[in-house]
Amino acid sequence: MSIGNSPEDERPFEDVSEEARPSVGRALQQARIAAGLTVDDVSTATRVRIGIVRAIEADDFAPCGGDVYARGHIRTLAKAVRLDPAPLIERFEADHGGGRPAPTPAAPLFEAERIRPERRGPNWTAAMVAAIVVVIGFVGFTMVNGGDDDGAKENVAEGTQPSKSATPTPKSEKTAAPEPEPSDSAIAAAPQDKVTVKVSAADGRSWISAKDHSGRLLFDGLLKQGDSKTFQDNTKINLVLGDAGAIDLFVNGKKIEDDWQPGAVERLTYTKGDPQAG
């Protein structure tokens, strides 16, 4: 027997609590499906690897290599599926302790790649200084000997010419005067018919990816702070920087002065005519 409650009073209350909101990965997955995109489509559009896309949609952020990279991937994937990344970043930080570094190490995905120190070219500056010292010493020795009249007469008597060959020697100082740029010799001597790009993790570690003009992968891994990589191609270099704020970038021997923010993901292309962002 009814005691007067209406059907509206008997409906269950809607759960509007924090737990009812979809997780970051679930929200990205639902938006991708609603946009009619596959995981492969999103990976191709964002250059985020398929394994990382699947892990993020499952709320597993360990393969990202840290919270900084995770936030960058979330922003990139959200834009690809037409979502506002700000609420997702806030939810991620709330779920992961306000963005503190994850206690787990970087994913084994990056451990296979060991960064080898870049080979240094010969020290041309020291060689030039040594050459100039030798030339100055030779000129001084010649001038001292030239002031000895008796020695000069003996040379003439013996049928030998006075040391006139030393007179053009000072000209060699002018040719030896220009010194090479004090920067890394491999960058300073970048050939004009190629594009040369050097990536240096000056302010922290960063994941980077580099491809040549044909799309062939030149490098895909993590640069630790203080490490650097140099890439060269006949036409162009395509770069993806996982944390552009930690990177110093040199293109064809010149530093790129861009105000990249920490955690920002940047996609860049450089050619022989640069530096200018592609």
Side-chain angles (χ1 to χ4, degrees):
M1 177 178 180
S2 173
I3 59 174
N5 291 335
S6 65
E8 288 79 4
D9 295 332
E10 296 177 356
R11 290 180 301 175
F13 291 105
E14 293 184 2
D15 187 0
V16 294
S17 64
E18 184 72 13
E19 291 75 6
R21 292 167 52 193
S23 64
V24 174
R26 182 62 177 169
L28 290 172
Q29 183 185 52
Q30 290 175 346
R32 173 179 62 76
I33 294 172
L37 300 174
T38 65
V39 173
D40 289 346
D41 294 335
V42 172
S43 176
T44 301
T46 62
R47 298 186 183 180
V48 177
R49 281 174 288 178
I50 293 175
I52 294 179
V53 176
R54 293 188 186 278
I56 290 176
E57 289 190 354
D59 292 309
D60 178 11
F61 301 98
C64 297
D67 289 352
V68 172
Y69 308 108
R71 286 194 291 271
H73 289 324
I74 291 171
R75 288 191 190 94
T76 301
L77 296 179
K79 293 177 182 178
V81 297
R82 302 179 182 87
L83 277 183
D84 181 7
L88 298 179
I89 296 298
E90 292 177 2
R91 182 62 184 263
F92 173 81
E93 292 180 350
D95 293 344
H96 292 80
R100 291 194 301 269
T104 56
L109 182 64
F110 300 119
E111 293 178 357
E113 181 64 28
R114 300 296 181 186
I115 308 302
R116 296 182 179 178
E118 184 179 357
R119 293 184 178 178
R120 300 288 182 180
N123 192 337
W124 293 112
T125 301
M128 285 294 181
V129 171
I132 292 173
V133 170
V134 172
V135 170
I136 292 175
F138 179 74
V139 171
F141 176 77
T142 303
M143 291 177 65
V144 171
N145 286 348
D148 188 353
D149 293 338
D150 293 338
K153 291 178 181 180
E154 290 178 3
N155 289 337
V156 173
E158 293 174 0
T160 60
Q161 294 293 330
S163 180
K164 294 182 180 180
S165 60
T167 54
T169 305
K171 294 181 180 180
S172 65
E173 282 190 73
K174 296 181 180 179
T175 59
E179 296 182 2
E181 194 72 21
S183 60
D184 191 331
S185 60
I187 294 297
Q192 298 297 318
D193 61 339
K194 296 179 182 294
V195 54
T196 303
V197 176
K198 178 182 176 181
V199 182
S200 177
D203 298 324
R205 66 179 188 173
S206 175
W207 171 83
I208 68 169
S209 175
K211 295 182 179 181
D212 63 13
H213 71 280
S214 65
R216 181 173 63 92
L217 188 65
L218 302 176
F219 179 79
D220 184 20
L222 186 68
L223 282 188
K224 297 179 181 178
Q225 185 171 4
D227 289 340
S228 62
K229 274 286 184 181
T230 301
F231 310 102
Q232 196 172 78
D233 188 67
N234 293 330
T235 305
K236 67 179 180 180
I237 296 291
N238 295 312
L239 287 178
V240 180
L241 307 180
D243 184 2
I247 292 298
D248 282 348
L249 194 59
F250 300 85
V251 177
N252 296 325
K254 296 182 180 179
K255 186 175 181 180
I256 301 300
E257 301 291 351
D258 278 334
D259 189 19
W260 291 318
Q261 298 300 314
V265 178
E266 294 291 337
R267 291 171 177 78
L268 308 166
T269 299
Y270 293 104
T271 62
K272 292 183 288 187
D274 289 330
Q276 62 181 11

